[in-house]
Amino acid sequence: VVWETEEGQESRLEWGDTESFNHVECGTTFESWNGTQIHAVTLGALMADTSYHYRVLTGQTPSSVYRFRTPPTPESETDFRLAAMSDMQRDGGNPMKFHEVIHEGVMDYLAGLTGEDITESLGLVMVPGDLVDNGWVYDEWRDDFFGPAADLMARVPFYPVPGNHE
């Protein structure tokens, strides 16, 4: 789990199979080139096909509580849905397209299709390339990639792959 803050060195994640958060993991923090803090915590000992709740803490400031589901084992032969999209960098002619794809094209569509929470109906999102127009510009990452996708990224594993623009 990775998150960004304006300040604070502590990287703590509370998690568990209920909102009682029976596990706490600490991670690492490093300063990004623009002065924000990037926090990363690795979760271990997760069970397959299990729903988990979590929240992150930096200092005394907790995030909202989120939930995600781990994928099933291959042996279970349980259905596993993934979404793949590419070339999501901002288009000047359609500046809100990535937000639309995430919210209306993935989250709302699956909610209408399955009637389930997105954590139950989607197991993985893959974005193979061209995440932003210019990978050297911090604001593009914040405003054009992470911002529009934050609601989904907090609930479903995201696997972005750098393309020629990054």
Side-chain angles (χ1 to χ4, degrees), residues 112-131:
L113 180 69
T114 67
E116 298 175 324
D117 180 90
I118 193 72
T119 61
E120 298 297 323
S121 60
L122 184 62
L124 175 70
V125 176
M126 295 175 52
V127 187
D130 295 342
L131 312 172

Side-chain angles (χ1 to χ4, degrees), residues 41-61:
V41 175
T42 301
L43 297 177
L46 298 174
M47 301 295 294
D49 202 16
T50 303
S51 183
Y52 291 99
H53 296 79
Y54 75 97
R55 71 177 178 187
V56 299
L57 293 99
T58 303
Q60 298 301 310
T61 305

Side-chain angles (χ1 to χ4, degrees), residues 6-164:
E6 295 292 323
E7 56 188 44
Q9 294 296 313
E10 183 181 31
S11 300
R12 193 173 74 211
L13 187 134
E14 297 177 337
W15 65 282
D17 55 3
T18 68
E19 287 188 42
S20 66
F21 306 122
N22 51 348
H23 302 281
V24 175
E25 303 287 341
C26 293
T28 60
T29 302
F30 64 91
E31 187 172 323
S32 72
W33 67 271
N34 71 331
T36 62
Q37 305 301 310
I38 306 295
H39 307 269
V41 175
T42 301
L43 297 177
L46 298 174
M47 301 295 294
D49 202 16
T50 303
S51 183
Y52 291 99
H53 296 79
Y54 75 97
R55 71 177 178 187
V56 299
L57 293 99
T58 303
Q60 298 301 310
T61 305
S63 71
S64 298
V65 175
Y66 297 102
R67 189 168 62 92
F68 69 93
R69 183 169 205 84
T70 54
T73 64
E75 299 78 31
S76 72
E77 297 188 20
T78 302
D79 289 342
F80 180 79
R81 182 179 284 123
L82 66 90
M85 59 188 93
S86 67
D87 296 312
M88 301 318 301
Q89 74 267 28
R90 186 176 184 273
D91 176 356
N94 294 296
M96 297 301 292
K97 186 54 74 177
F98 187 40
H99 183 276
E100 179 185 324
V101 167
I102 293 294
H103 290 86
E104 297 171 31
V106 176
M107 296 178 77
D108 291 352
Y109 173 77
L110 286 175
L113 180 69
T114 67
E116 298 175 324
D117 180 90
I118 193 72
T119 61
E120 298 297 323
S121 60
L122 184 62
L124 175 70
V125 176
M126 295 175 52
V127 187
D130 295 342
L131 312 172
V132 296
D133 191 48
N134 184 342
W136 296 103
V137 178
Y138 170 81
D139 291 349
E140 289 190 22
W141 289 104
R142 182 190 63 219
D143 300 337
D144 301 338
F145 184 69
F146 290 110
D151 293 337
L152 186 57
M153 287 181 177
R155 295 169 176 85
V156 177
F158 236 75
Y159 192 80
V161 179
N164 64 313

